[in-house]
Amino acid sequence: MARIAIDAAVVERPGAPFRIERLEIDPPRPGQVLVRVRACGICHTDMIMRDGDLPVPFPAVLGHEGAGVIAAVGQDVDHVMPGDSVLLSFHSCGACPACHAHQPGYCVDFVPRNFLGVLQPGEGGLWRGDQPVGSNIFGQSAFATYALAHRDNVVKVDADLPLALLAPLGCGIQTGAGTVLETLKVAPGESVAILGAGAVGLSAVMAAVIAEAGRIAILDRHAHRLDLARQLGAIETASEIADLVGLFDYVLDTTGVLALLEPAVALLTQRGTLALIAAYPPGTAGLDASAIMSMGRRIVGIVEGGVNPRQFIPRLITYYRDGRLPIEKIIKAYDFVDIEQAFAASQNGSVIKAVIAIY
Ligand SMILES: [Zn+2]
Ligand SMILES: [Zn+2]
């Protein structure tokens, strides 16, 4: 199989706009799959990468909530075949202790395999003439008509499912829902406060309802997001952290705002847990060590919900089919040619989860 021509949204340099252009993609090597992409969600991390705040190799093709149909498989791939519908998730090595423990979000190789666009020797990629283009972001680079993904980050799903709705399960939605259901294992009647009503925060609300949490509170500056959070099951809403009253078993920070962390700790009950699940800027948060120690409080960092996507995404799809994960309420679809408009709406907060439909 030779290289094939594809259309991809290329970011030329940090902060540059997305421009759709013709590139070529290599055929799948052993352990890889070639996916005809049908949709890809926009995640906050895409904005961080576009702006050059992660060391992405430019020019680059981003996009890490891809969904599509398998076009070809390389050697040593036996769980999917051409024609299968798939969702794409993050990439991991499959061989380190965390991967063996079904905790691929803590793979020792997580950063290079997801942020750096680094391919292992012998793995293929994207080409502009004879010049390589930064690809393999999150093991996919799915703002394109085709993407090369890997054995470990491809999840087969039923052909009748709407790929444009389910694409974000592979990052944003599993991050919020996995935190609640898989890592924290919120129990019926427990209380949860969620800081930030973006896609991750609202997914956490939906999951807290599934977990039958007792009190679900949410903080956000946008009134329309709080309205949506209420529709999804949040009981209490606040626009300032000082307006959250009482103590909670769990506080989830999805904002990445360091100044919120000290007041977040103060919202925890005895032995309560603060989960850090956002992208954080460099720097430190001033924390009151005595207030953590004396109450037995915990602070835990969680990557991608702490889930194994190949096990957890099928569980999310079951909730979706049962009407318990109404993700259609947070998604807005955009045509591929309108990708800049979709990023602008995501950045200004007017759209919660934009999904690009790839022609
Ligand atoms: Zn690993
Ligand atoms: Zn993401």
Side-chain angles (χ1 to χ4, degrees):
M1 188 176 166
R3 286 180 187 164
I4 59 170
I6 70 166
D7 287 343
V10 179
V11 180
E12 196 61 35
R13 65 188 71 79
F18 290 84
R19 293 207 193 288
I20 297 176
E21 65 169 271
R22 189 59 51 98
L23 300 176
E24 286 192 312
I25 193 166
D26 280 315
R29 310 287 168 93
Q32 293 183 333
V33 299
L34 181 68
V35 178
R36 174 63 173 95
V37 182
R38 292 297 178 194
C40 184
I42 292 178
C43 184
H44 183 66
T45 310
D46 289 310
M47 297 175 218
I48 296 172
M49 290 191 282
R50 177 202 57 191
D51 293 340
D53 294 330
L54 283 164
V56 171
F58 288 94
V61 175
L62 307 176
H64 65 275
E65 291 181 343
V69 175
I70 299 283
V73 300
Q75 290 169 22
D76 307 325
V77 176
D78 51 17
H79 69 299
V80 289
M81 54 195 285
D84 284 346
S85 290
V86 290
L87 302 185
L88 306 182
S89 191
F90 62 91
H91 189 23
S92 56
C93 79
C96 73
C99 285
H100 279 309
H102 298 290
Q103 297 275 306
Y106 311 109
C107 176
V108 292
D109 218 18
F110 188 90
V111 169
R113 283 176 187 262
N114 290 286
F115 300 135
L116 306 189
V118 173
L119 284 160
Q120 308 301 309
E123 291 185 339
L126 298 176
W127 299 89
R128 178 192 269 160
D130 58 1
Q131 294 297 310
V133 172
S135 67
N136 197 40
I137 301 296
F138 276 74
Q140 46 180 297
S141 291
F143 291 141
T145 49
Y146 286 83
L148 279 172
H150 303 263
R151 186 172 38 213
D152 69 280
N153 70 335
V154 168
V155 182
K156 185 179 169 181
V157 298
D158 291 339
D160 67 314
L161 289 164
L163 293 176
L165 269 184
L166 299 183
L169 294 188
C171 186
I173 291 171
Q174 78 180 3
T175 296
T179 294
V180 170
L181 296 170
E182 286 271 303
T183 299
L184 300 179
K185 297 189 191 302
V186 172
E190 289 188 317
S191 52
V192 183
I194 296 157
L195 311 183
V200 173
L202 292 177
S203 300
V205 170
M206 290 184 256
V209 172
I210 290 169
E212 300 176 29
R215 257 181 95 198
I216 305 171
I218 190 157
L219 168 76
D220 202 277
R221 290 251 166 95
H222 296 272
H224 72 100
R225 292 178 175 231
L226 294 178
D227 288 343
L228 192 49
R230 262 185 234 103
Q231 286 177 38
L232 292 171
I235 297 159
E236 301 164 34
T237 58
S239 56
E240 299 292 337
I241 195 163
D243 297 334
L244 288 172
V245 292
L247 299 177
F248 295 85
D249 295 307
Y250 301 98
V251 178
L252 277 59
D253 176 55
T254 76
T255 68
V257 177
L258 295 176
L260 286 179
L261 300 184
E262 188 166 22
V265 168
L267 285 171
L268 293 172
T269 186
Q270 279 88 351
R271 299 192 296 139
T273 300
L274 169 62
L276 307 182
I277 65 176
Y280 292 93
T284 55
L287 294 175
D288 179 344
S290 175
I292 297 167
M293 179 271 169
S294 61
M295 301 260 294
R297 291 159 162 163
R298 297 160 202 260
I299 302 174
V300 59
I302 301 173
V303 176
E304 296 279 349
V307 306
N308 179 346
R310 284 173 63 181
Q311 294 170 348
F312 188 64
I313 287 177
R315 184 175 165 195
L316 289 180
I317 288 173
T318 302
Y319 292 134
Y320 168 75
R321 283 196 190 277
D322 292 347
R324 302 174 78 191
L325 195 74
I327 47 179
E328 66 280 0
K329 291 190 172 153
I330 67 171
I331 287 175
K332 180 167 180 192
Y334 286 84
D335 290 336
F336 195 18
V337 294
D338 296 325
I339 186 169
E340 270 292 302
Q341 200 185 323
F343 265 84
S346 303
Q347 193 131 27
N348 70 25
S350 59
V351 168
I352 294 187
K353 173 59 78 176
V355 175
I356 307 298
I358 310 282
Y359 51 72

